[in-house]
Amino acid sequence: QREFTQKKTFTSWVNSILAKRTPPSVISDLYTDIQQGHLLLDLLEVLSGQHLPREKGFNTFQCRSNIENALTFLKNRSLKLINIHVADIIEGKPSIVLGLIWTIIFHFHIEELARTLGCTYNQPSLDCSSAVDSSPKASRSAKKSAKIKERWKISATKALLLWAKEQCSLHGSIGVTDFKSSWRSGLPFLAIIQTLRPGLVDLEKAKARSNKENLKEAFRIAELELNIPRLLEPE
């Protein structure tokens, strides 16, 4: 179920980016369509604004070359592609493909946005303790290594979390403590929309509705009024 949800969400995200391309392109199955490399290069070109080298054909050699070009481009931007190899993408291995797309999302959207937010909050040293193993068995050196490895990710997610908390704090008792269960009620989404565009939602009325109704309403308003692609389903 988790893999199905990720695949569906990531497919919607990729298509929302490819729709900006001239001419637009689209994927129907994330695992098979990425195997040729062309759509992966299309995606990176839209995100980066750069023209990337590619083979025009679709034989095995040309597909491999296109995927290699895409991975090389990402590595040159200092992205860590751990256990992501050309052969696995050509085979359409779900865990590898999903990991690659998430890495791209994190770098081009979350990390770049969070860097701006991080400067806003001016916190040079962000707490990374939540990302490391706190069990007694974990050695200090392992903890230190994990902190260094995850610091940029924690910085990004923490900056976004601080921003979300700030938006929600303007609307009374709507609290946000994480990117998990805090969002189930739909109220944080609605609170953020209300902060960005006052008057679009009625938070008092929302507090009497079900979680699913609030989530549907939040995603609907975000799409229609804020031009935010509907990548998620309430479930």
Side-chain angles (χ1 to χ4, degrees), residues 13-37:
W13 179 83
V14 170
N15 282 331
S16 74
I17 302 300
L18 293 179
K20 302 173 184 178
R21 185 176 177 272
T22 305
S25 51
V26 65
I27 63 172
S28 55
D29 188 289
L30 184 63
Y31 300 150
T32 57
D33 291 348
I34 203 173
Q35 293 175 2
Q36 296 172 345

PDB file of all heavy atoms in Angstrom, residues 13-37:
ATOM      1  N   TRP A  13       3.383  14.067  -9.447  1.00  0.00           N
ATOM      2  CA  TRP A  13       4.370  15.146  -9.352  1.00  0.00           C
ATOM      3  C   TRP A  13       5.169  15.275 -10.642  1.00  0.00           C
ATOM      4  O   TRP A  13       5.357  16.386 -11.158  1.00  0.00           O
ATOM      5  CB  TRP A  13       5.316  14.898  -8.171  1.00  0.00           C
ATOM      6  CG  TRP A  13       6.359  15.968  -8.040  1.00  0.00           C
ATOM      7  CD1 TRP A  13       6.222  17.187  -7.434  1.00  0.00           C
ATOM      8  CD2 TRP A  13       7.696  15.929  -8.553  1.00  0.00           C
ATOM      9  NE1 TRP A  13       7.398  17.907  -7.544  1.00  0.00           N
ATOM     10  CE2 TRP A  13       8.308  17.164  -8.219  1.00  0.00           C
ATOM     11  CE3 TRP A  13       8.427  14.968  -9.262  1.00  0.00           C
ATOM     12  CZ2 TRP A  13       9.618  17.459  -8.576  1.00  0.00           C
ATOM     13  CZ3 TRP A  13       9.741  15.267  -9.611  1.00  0.00           C
ATOM     14  CH2 TRP A  13      10.324  16.502  -9.269  1.00  0.00           C
ATOM     15  N   VAL A  14       5.652  14.153 -11.162  1.00  0.00           N
ATOM     16  CA  VAL A  14       6.435  14.176 -12.399  1.00  0.00           C
ATOM     17  C   VAL A  14       5.614  14.777 -13.532  1.00  0.00           C
ATOM     18  O   VAL A  14       6.093  15.636 -14.291  1.00  0.00           O
ATOM     19  CB  VAL A  14       6.912  12.759 -12.775  1.00  0.00           C
ATOM     20  CG1 VAL A  14       7.509  12.758 -14.187  1.00  0.00           C
ATOM     21  CG2 VAL A  14       7.938  12.258 -11.771  1.00  0.00           C
ATOM     22  N   ASN A  15       4.348  14.369 -13.651  1.00  0.00           N
ATOM     23  CA  ASN A  15       3.501  14.893 -14.726  1.00  0.00           C
ATOM     24  C   ASN A  15       3.214  16.378 -14.559  1.00  0.00           C
ATOM     25  O   ASN A  15       3.071  17.106 -15.545  1.00  0.00           O
ATOM     26  CB  ASN A  15       2.193  14.104 -14.799  1.00  0.00           C
ATOM     27  CG  ASN A  15       2.372  12.769 -15.496  1.00  0.00           C
ATOM     28  OD1 ASN A  15       3.230  12.617 -16.360  1.00  0.00           O
ATOM     29  ND2 ASN A  15       1.573  11.785 -15.126  1.00  0.00           N
ATOM     30  N   SER A  16       3.145  16.851 -13.310  1.00  0.00           N
ATOM     31  CA  SER A  16       2.933  18.281 -13.087  1.00  0.00           C
ATOM     32  C   SER A  16       4.135  19.088 -13.567  1.00  0.00           C
ATOM     33  O   SER A  16       3.991  20.238 -14.008  1.00  0.00           O
ATOM     34  CB  SER A  16       2.670  18.563 -11.603  1.00  0.00           C
ATOM     35  OG  SER A  16       3.847  18.457 -10.820  1.00  0.00           O
ATOM     36  N   ILE A  17       5.326  18.491 -13.501  1.00  0.00           N
ATOM     37  CA  ILE A  17       6.532  19.162 -13.985  1.00  0.00           C
ATOM     38  C   ILE A  17       6.636  19.059 -15.505  1.00  0.00           C
ATOM     39  O   ILE A  17       6.915  20.038 -16.194  1.00  0.00           O
ATOM     40  CB  ILE A  17       7.798  18.561 -13.341  1.00  0.00           C
ATOM     41  CG1 ILE A  17       7.732  18.668 -11.810  1.00  0.00           C
ATOM     42  CG2 ILE A  17       9.057  19.256 -13.876  1.00  0.00           C
ATOM     43  CD1 ILE A  17       7.631  20.077 -11.285  1.00  0.00           C
ATOM     44  N   LEU A  18       6.357  17.859 -16.039  1.00  0.00           N
ATOM     45  CA  LEU A  18       6.463  17.652 -17.486  1.00  0.00           C
ATOM     46  C   LEU A  18       5.431  18.458 -18.262  1.00  0.00           C
ATOM     47  O   LEU A  18       5.617  18.737 -19.445  1.00  0.00           O
ATOM     48  CB  LEU A  18       6.301  16.156 -17.809  1.00  0.00           C
ATOM     49  CG  LEU A  18       7.421  15.235 -17.312  1.00  0.00           C
ATOM     50  CD1 LEU A  18       7.114  13.786 -17.674  1.00  0.00           C
ATOM     51  CD2 LEU A  18       8.769  15.646 -17.896  1.00  0.00           C
ATOM     52  N   ALA A  19       4.342  18.848 -17.597  1.00  0.00           N
ATOM     53  CA  ALA A  19       3.313  19.666 -18.250  1.00  0.00           C
ATOM     54  C   ALA A  19       3.852  21.045 -18.610  1.00  0.00           C
ATOM     55  O   ALA A  19       3.296  21.735 -19.478  1.00  0.00           O
ATOM     56  CB  ALA A  19       2.092  19.793 -17.345  1.00  0.00           C
ATOM     57  N   LYS A  20       4.944  21.460 -17.943  1.00  0.00           N
ATOM     58  CA  LYS A  20       5.539  22.771 -18.205  1.00  0.00           C
ATOM     59  C   LYS A  20       6.505  22.739 -19.384  1.00  0.00           C
ATOM     60  O   LYS A  20       7.015  23.783 -19.801  1.00  0.00           O
ATOM     61  CB  LYS A  20       6.286  23.255 -16.952  1.00  0.00           C
ATOM     62  CG  LYS A  20       5.415  23.349 -15.708  1.00  0.00           C
ATOM     63  CD  LYS A  20       6.253  23.677 -14.476  1.00  0.00           C
ATOM     64  CE  LYS A  20       5.409  23.677 -13.210  1.00  0.00           C
ATOM     65  NZ  LYS A  20       6.216  23.937 -11.993  1.00  0.00           N
ATOM     66  N   ARG A  21       6.754  21.538 -19.894  1.00  0.00           N
ATOM     67  CA  ARG A  21       7.717  21.386 -20.983  1.00  0.00           C
ATOM     68  C   ARG A  21       7.080  21.776 -22.307  1.00  0.00           C
ATOM     69  O   ARG A  21       5.877  21.721 -22.482  1.00  0.00           O
ATOM     70  CB  ARG A  21       8.199  19.940 -21.033  1.00  0.00           C
ATOM     71  CG  ARG A  21       9.285  19.636 -22.029  1.00  0.00           C
ATOM     72  CD  ARG A  21       9.755  18.197 -21.909  1.00  0.00           C
ATOM     73  NE  ARG A  21      10.758  17.872 -22.915  1.00  0.00           N
ATOM     74  CZ  ARG A  21      10.460  17.422 -24.139  1.00  0.00           C
ATOM     75  NH1 ARG A  21       9.198  17.212 -24.478  1.00  0.00           N
ATOM     76  NH2 ARG A  21      11.433  17.159 -25.001  1.00  0.00           N
ATOM     77  N   THR A  22       7.919  22.181 -23.277  1.00  0.00           N
ATOM     78  CA  THR A  22       7.445  22.491 -24.622  1.00  0.00           C
ATOM     79  C   THR A  22       8.111  21.567 -25.631  1.00  0.00           C
ATOM     80  O   THR A  22       9.330  21.672 -25.835  1.00  0.00           O
ATOM     81  CB  THR A  22       7.750  23.955 -24.989  1.00  0.00           C
ATOM     82  OG1 THR A  22       7.203  24.823 -23.990  1.00  0.00           O
ATOM     83  CG2 THR A  22       7.145  24.305 -26.334  1.00  0.00           C
ATOM     84  N   PRO A  23       7.367  20.624 -26.267  1.00  0.00           N
ATOM     85  CA  PRO A  23       5.957  20.325 -25.977  1.00  0.00           C
ATOM     86  C   PRO A  23       5.842  19.520 -24.685  1.00  0.00           C
ATOM     87  O   PRO A  23       6.814  18.874 -24.275  1.00  0.00           O
ATOM     88  CB  PRO A  23       5.531  19.496 -27.184  1.00  0.00           C
ATOM     89  CG  PRO A  23       6.787  18.793 -27.599  1.00  0.00           C
ATOM     90  CD  PRO A  23       7.911  19.774 -27.331  1.00  0.00           C
ATOM     91  N   PRO A  24       4.670  19.531 -24.060  1.00  0.00           N
ATOM     92  CA  PRO A  24       4.493  18.771 -22.816  1.00  0.00           C
ATOM     93  C   PRO A  24       4.663  17.277 -23.059  1.00  0.00           C
ATOM     94  O   PRO A  24       4.407  16.777 -24.153  1.00  0.00           O
ATOM     95  CB  PRO A  24       3.044  19.092 -22.410  1.00  0.00           C
ATOM     96  CG  PRO A  24       2.700  20.342 -23.148  1.00  0.00           C
ATOM     97  CD  PRO A  24       3.452  20.270 -24.438  1.00  0.00           C
ATOM     98  N   SER A  25       5.109  16.569 -22.034  1.00  0.00           N
ATOM     99  CA  SER A  25       5.167  15.112 -22.112  1.00  0.00           C
ATOM    100  C   SER A  25       4.511  14.557 -20.854  1.00  0.00           C
ATOM    101  O   SER A  25       4.257  15.286 -19.905  1.00  0.00           O
ATOM    102  CB  SER A  25       6.615  14.608 -22.238  1.00  0.00           C
ATOM    103  OG  SER A  25       7.440  15.157 -21.240  1.00  0.00           O
ATOM    104  N   VAL A  26       4.229  13.268 -20.862  1.00  0.00           N
ATOM    105  CA  VAL A  26       3.488  12.671 -19.756  1.00  0.00           C
ATOM    106  C   VAL A  26       3.926  11.228 -19.551  1.00  0.00           C
ATOM    107  O   VAL A  26       4.329  10.554 -20.509  1.00  0.00           O
ATOM    108  CB  VAL A  26       1.963  12.744 -20.016  1.00  0.00           C
ATOM    109  CG1 VAL A  26       1.584  11.900 -21.230  1.00  0.00           C
ATOM    110  CG2 VAL A  26       1.168  12.328 -18.783  1.00  0.00           C
ATOM    111  N   ILE A  27       3.875  10.760 -18.304  1.00  0.00           N
ATOM    112  CA  ILE A  27       4.147   9.359 -18.026  1.00  0.00           C
ATOM    113  C   ILE A  27       2.868   8.697 -17.540  1.00  0.00           C
ATOM    114  O   ILE A  27       2.039   9.328 -16.880  1.00  0.00           O
ATOM    115  CB  ILE A  27       5.265   9.170 -16.985  1.00  0.00           C
ATOM    116  CG1 ILE A  27       4.869   9.760 -15.622  1.00  0.00           C
ATOM    117  CG2 ILE A  27       6.564   9.784 -17.467  1.00  0.00           C
ATOM    118  CD1 ILE A  27       5.849   9.434 -14.513  1.00  0.00           C
ATOM    119  N   SER A  28       2.706   7.439 -17.901  1.00  0.00           N
ATOM    120  CA  SER A  28       1.533   6.688 -17.446  1.00  0.00           C
ATOM    121  C   SER A  28       1.925   5.650 -16.407  1.00  0.00           C
ATOM    122  O   SER A  28       1.187   5.393 -15.466  1.00  0.00           O
ATOM    123  CB  SER A  28       0.837   6.013 -18.636  1.00  0.00           C
ATOM    124  OG  SER A  28       1.754   5.196 -19.346  1.00  0.00           O
ATOM    125  N   ASP A  29       3.098   5.037 -16.571  1.00  0.00           N
ATOM    126  CA  ASP A  29       3.610   4.094 -15.579  1.00  0.00           C
ATOM    127  C   ASP A  29       5.036   4.489 -15.227  1.00  0.00           C
ATOM    128  O   ASP A  29       5.938   4.422 -16.067  1.00  0.00           O
ATOM    129  CB  ASP A  29       3.579   2.661 -16.118  1.00  0.00           C
ATOM    130  CG  ASP A  29       3.927   1.644 -15.043  1.00  0.00           C
ATOM    131  OD1 ASP A  29       5.112   1.591 -14.642  1.00  0.00           O
ATOM    132  OD2 ASP A  29       3.038   0.910 -14.590  1.00  0.00           O
ATOM    133  N   LEU A  30       5.234   4.904 -14.012  1.00  0.00           N
ATOM    134  CA  LEU A  30       6.524   5.435 -13.575  1.00  0.00           C
ATOM    135  C   LEU A  30       7.653   4.440 -13.780  1.00  0.00           C
ATOM    136  O   LEU A  30       8.750   4.806 -14.222  1.00  0.00           O
ATOM    137  CB  LEU A  30       6.434   5.838 -12.101  1.00  0.00           C
ATOM    138  CG  LEU A  30       7.658   6.504 -11.482  1.00  0.00           C
ATOM    139  CD1 LEU A  30       7.957   7.829 -12.180  1.00  0.00           C
ATOM    140  CD2 LEU A  30       7.435   6.734  -9.993  1.00  0.00           C
ATOM    141  N   TYR A  31       7.407   3.173 -13.464  1.00  0.00           N
ATOM    142  CA  TYR A  31       8.466   2.169 -13.492  1.00  0.00           C
ATOM    143  C   TYR A  31       8.914   1.822 -14.917  1.00  0.00           C
ATOM    144  O   TYR A  31      10.102   1.601 -15.157  1.00  0.00           O
ATOM    145  CB  TYR A  31       8.014   0.893 -12.783  1.00  0.00           C
ATOM    146  CG  TYR A  31       7.648   1.095 -11.329  1.00  0.00           C
ATOM    147  CD1 TYR A  31       6.689   0.295 -10.715  1.00  0.00           C
ATOM    148  CD2 TYR A  31       8.251   2.086 -10.564  1.00  0.00           C
ATOM    149  CE1 TYR A  31       6.347   0.471  -9.380  1.00  0.00           C
ATOM    150  CE2 TYR A  31       7.920   2.277  -9.231  1.00  0.00           C
ATOM    151  CZ  TYR A  31       6.959   1.462  -8.646  1.00  0.00           C
ATOM    152  OH  TYR A  31       6.618   1.646  -7.326  1.00  0.00           O
ATOM    153  N   THR A  32       7.974   1.767 -15.854  1.00  0.00           N
ATOM    154  CA  THR A  32       8.329   1.388 -17.225  1.00  0.00           C
ATOM    155  C   THR A  32       8.726   2.590 -18.076  1.00  0.00           C
ATOM    156  O   THR A  32       9.655   2.503 -18.890  1.00  0.00           O
ATOM    157  CB  THR A  32       7.164   0.644 -17.909  1.00  0.00           C
ATOM    158  OG1 THR A  32       5.995   1.481 -17.877  1.00  0.00           O
ATOM    159  CG2 THR A  32       6.856  -0.653 -17.183  1.00  0.00           C
ATOM    160  N   ASP A  33       8.068   3.719 -17.886  1.00  0.00           N
ATOM    161  CA  ASP A  33       8.350   4.883 -18.727  1.00  0.00           C
ATOM    162  C   ASP A  33       9.714   5.491 -18.452  1.00  0.00           C
ATOM    163  O   ASP A  33      10.293   6.153 -19.312  1.00  0.00           O
ATOM    164  CB  ASP A  33       7.267   5.954 -18.525  1.00  0.00           C
ATOM    165  CG  ASP A  33       5.922   5.523 -19.081  1.00  0.00           C
ATOM    166  OD1 ASP A  33       5.886   4.519 -19.813  1.00  0.00           O
ATOM    167  OD2 ASP A  33       4.905   6.178 -18.781  1.00  0.00           O
ATOM    168  N   ILE A  34      10.229   5.271 -17.249  1.00  0.00           N
ATOM    169  CA  ILE A  34      11.523   5.859 -16.902  1.00  0.00           C
ATOM    170  C   ILE A  34      12.684   5.047 -17.488  1.00  0.00           C
ATOM    171  O   ILE A  34      13.820   5.533 -17.552  1.00  0.00           O
ATOM    172  CB  ILE A  34      11.669   5.944 -15.357  1.00  0.00           C
ATOM    173  CG1 ILE A  34      12.689   7.020 -14.970  1.00  0.00           C
ATOM    174  CG2 ILE A  34      12.054   4.590 -14.775  1.00  0.00           C
ATOM    175  CD1 ILE A  34      12.762   7.263 -13.482  1.00  0.00           C
ATOM    176  N   GLN A  35      12.400   3.834 -17.948  1.00  0.00           N
ATOM    177  CA  GLN A  35      13.447   2.919 -18.380  1.00  0.00           C
ATOM    178  C   GLN A  35      14.201   3.403 -19.617  1.00  0.00           C
ATOM    179  O   GLN A  35      15.364   3.071 -19.792  1.00  0.00           O
ATOM    180  CB  GLN A  35      12.847   1.538 -18.660  1.00  0.00           C
ATOM    181  CG  GLN A  35      12.319   0.850 -17.415  1.00  0.00           C
ATOM    182  CD  GLN A  35      11.611  -0.462 -17.718  1.00  0.00           C
ATOM    183  OE1 GLN A  35      11.550  -0.891 -18.877  1.00  0.00           O
ATOM    184  NE2 GLN A  35      11.067  -1.097 -16.702  1.00  0.00           N
ATOM    185  N   GLN A  36      13.546   4.199 -20.461  1.00  0.00           N
ATOM    186  CA  GLN A  36      14.203   4.654 -21.690  1.00  0.00           C
ATOM    187  C   GLN A  36      15.108   5.858 -21.462  1.00  0.00           C
ATOM    188  O   GLN A  36      15.965   6.164 -22.288  1.00  0.00           O
ATOM    189  CB  GLN A  36      13.144   4.994 -22.749  1.00  0.00           C
ATOM    190  CG  GLN A  36      12.326   3.793 -23.185  1.00  0.00           C
ATOM    191  CD  GLN A  36      11.172   4.179 -24.085  1.00  0.00           C
ATOM    192  OE1 GLN A  36      10.812   5.359 -24.173  1.00  0.00           O
ATOM    193  NE2 GLN A  36      10.593   3.207 -24.759  1.00  0.00           N
ATOM    194  N   GLY A  37      14.891   6.542 -20.354  1.00  0.00           N
ATOM    195  CA  GLY A  37      15.761   7.669 -20.031  1.00  0.00           C
ATOM    196  C   GLY A  37      15.300   9.006 -20.580  1.00  0.00           C
ATOM    197  O   GLY A  37      15.659  10.056 -20.043  1.00  0.00           O
TER     198      GLY A  37
END
